[in-house]
Amino acid sequence: MRADLIPLAENDRGSIGSLEFAIPVWATATALVLVLIVAWFFGSVAKWLLRHRARLNTTTCMVLSILGTAVGLFIAGAIDHRMNVWHPVTIVLGLASSIVAVGAYAMVAARLQSPTGIPVAELLASGESDRVEFKSTARVNLHTKQRDVAMETVIVKTVAAFLNSDGGNLLIGVDDDGTPLGLDADFTTLRHPDADRFELFLRDLLTATLGQSTAAEVGISFEQVARAAGDAEASASPTEVLVCRVECTPSPRPVYLRGMKNNALPEFWVRAGNSSRQLSVDQAAEYVMHRWPLGAGRALAAQVRAAVRFSSV
C-alpha cells in the first residue's frame, strides 16, 4: 500500500513543481498591465456613455471598471466554467458589468454633484431650483438705477449658500422669470465696461467676503444668450446678451461670510429649496457637524482635549 502511494506522492510533487513555474513573473506583470489597460478602456467607454449625466474621475472609473469586470467574469464562469477569458460572451459580460458599475456610481454622483457643463439656455429653461439661481444684476439696483451694496451682498450670500450645500450655478444678468437681461447695467459702474473687468470685480468681492482660497474655487464664465422673443427692446438692441455664470462646487470645508461692514459677525448660509437661508449659531454648528464630520482619530483627539480642559477647571 505504501509502495503504491510513493509514486503518487512523487507525481504530486512534480505537478506542484510544474505549477510553481507555470506562470512566470513576467507573465504576471504583463497581466497586471493588461488589466489596467482593459480597465482604462472599459472605464473610458462608460465615462463617454455617461458624459452628460455626471463628472467622472478617470481613476475612479478604472477602479469601478475592474470591480465590475470581475463581477462579469464571475457571471461568465457561473454560466459555463469552461469559458475562457477571450470568449465573446465573457468580453460582453465584462464590459456590461463594467458599465453598470460606473453607471451606478454616476447615478449617485449626478444626484450629489451640481449641474456643470450645461448651457446657460438649458439652465434658463429649467428655472430656479436648489442648484440654480437667477440675479438681474450684481451691483446696480434696477429700481434706483444706482449702485447698491445690498446687491453685492446678495451675490456673495448666494455663492456662500451654494458652497455650503450641494453646489450650483448663479446666473447674473437674468431676471427671476428666467429672461436674459445682460450685464449692461453693471458694466456702467466699471471703469472699463467689459467681461474681464466684471470678473475682476467679482473675484475681488468674493475674496474680500469669503476668503482668497474659497474665491479661487469658484468658477466664473460668460455666455451669449438670445434675447427673449417678446422683448420690447430687442428691435433696437443686439439679438444676444451676455450672461455671467458663477459655478460653485460643494466646499470641502465650511464657508463663512464676512460682513461687508466693519466688526460684522461672520454669517453662515445654506440653500433651502430655491432660496438662500442664514443659519443661527446653534443651527450652523449642528449643520457643520453633520456635513463635515471629524474622522475617528480627530474626533477621539478632540474628546481627549475636551476632557483635559474640563478636568483642569
Side-chain angles (χ1 to χ4, degrees):
M1 192 71 177
R2 292 182 179 178
D4 293 336
L5 292 176
I6 291 175
L8 180 61
E10 291 176 352
N11 290 336
D12 288 344
R13 286 195 296 270
S15 62
I16 292 174
S18 63
L19 286 175
E20 290 177 351
F21 297 97
I23 305 177
V25 175
W26 65 266
T28 303
T30 304
L32 292 175
V33 174
L34 289 176
V35 167
L36 290 177
I37 293 175
V38 172
W40 172 83
F41 174 73
F42 282 4
S44 298
V45 172
K47 185 177 179 180
W48 181 80
L49 292 174
L50 301 166
R51 63 191 183 280
H52 294 305
R53 296 183 178 273
R55 300 189 303 273
L56 301 177
N57 181 274
T58 301
T59 303
T60 302
C61 282
M62 290 178 64
V63 174
L64 293 172
S65 178
I66 292 174
L67 295 175
T69 303
V71 173
L73 295 179
F74 277 121
I75 296 174
I79 295 174
D80 186 352
H81 68 277
R82 295 171 298 178
M83 194 178 299
N84 59 49
V85 176
W86 303 111
H87 194 281
V89 175
T90 305
I91 296 175
V92 171
L93 285 174
L95 177 59
S97 297
S98 174
I99 294 176
V100 168
V102 180
Y105 170 81
M107 291 178 61
V108 177
R111 180 65 184 89
L112 298 178
Q113 292 175 354
S114 59
T116 180
I118 302 176
V120 170
E122 292 187 20
L123 294 176
L124 295 177
S126 63
E128 291 186 317
S129 65
D130 58 336
R131 300 187 186 182
V132 179
E133 180 81 7
F134 302 151
K135 294 300 178 185
S136 300
T137 64
R139 308 189 84 186
V140 175
N141 187 320
L142 294 181
H143 297 290
T144 63
K145 306 299 182 182
Q146 300 294 324
R147 179 181 175 182
D148 191 343
V149 177
M151 310 306 296
E152 300 178 6
T153 304
V154 171
I155 295 297
V156 294
K157 287 178 180 179
T158 304
V159 172
F162 277 138
L163 294 172
N164 284 326
S165 303
D166 295 326
N169 287 273
L170 168 62
L171 302 183
I172 304 175
V174 179
D175 68 9
D176 293 338
D177 296 329
T179 303
L181 302 177
L183 301 173
D184 292 342
D186 284 333
F187 279 0
T188 59
T189 65
L190 303 174
R191 180 175 300 178
H192 301 284
D194 54 34
D196 290 338
R197 188 65 60 164
F198 186 76
E199 180 177 355
L200 180 61
F201 146 71
L202 280 179
R203 292 288 181 193
D204 290 342
L205 176 64
L206 295 176
T207 299
T209 54
L210 304 180
Q212 185 171 359
S213 60
T214 300
E217 298 173 358
V218 177
I220 299 176
S221 59
F222 299 86
E223 188 172 329
Q224 293 284 352
V225 180
R227 282 184 178 273
D231 194 342
E233 299 179 356
S235 57
S237 305
T239 57
E240 293 184 336
V241 294
L242 192 65
V243 172
C244 176
R245 181 212 296 256
V246 182
E247 189 170 2
C248 309
T249 56
S251 176
R253 57 189 177 277
V255 174
Y256 294 92
L257 169 62
R258 294 196 290 260
M260 307 287 284
K261 300 179 180 179
N262 294 332
N263 299 324
L265 295 176
E267 300 175 1
F268 191 84
W269 290 79
V270 297
R271 292 292 289 180
N274 60 351
S275 63
S276 300
R277 172 190 173 195
Q278 182 182 3
L279 299 186
S280 61
V281 175
D282 55 338
Q283 291 174 331
E286 183 177 359
Y287 183 89
V288 169
M289 288 176 60
H290 285 84
R291 185 170 181 84
W292 296 279
L294 292 172
R298 296 176 61 186
L300 179 59
Q303 293 293 333
V304 171
R305 287 195 298 269
V308 171
R309 286 197 297 269
F310 284 115
S311 63
S312 62
V313 176

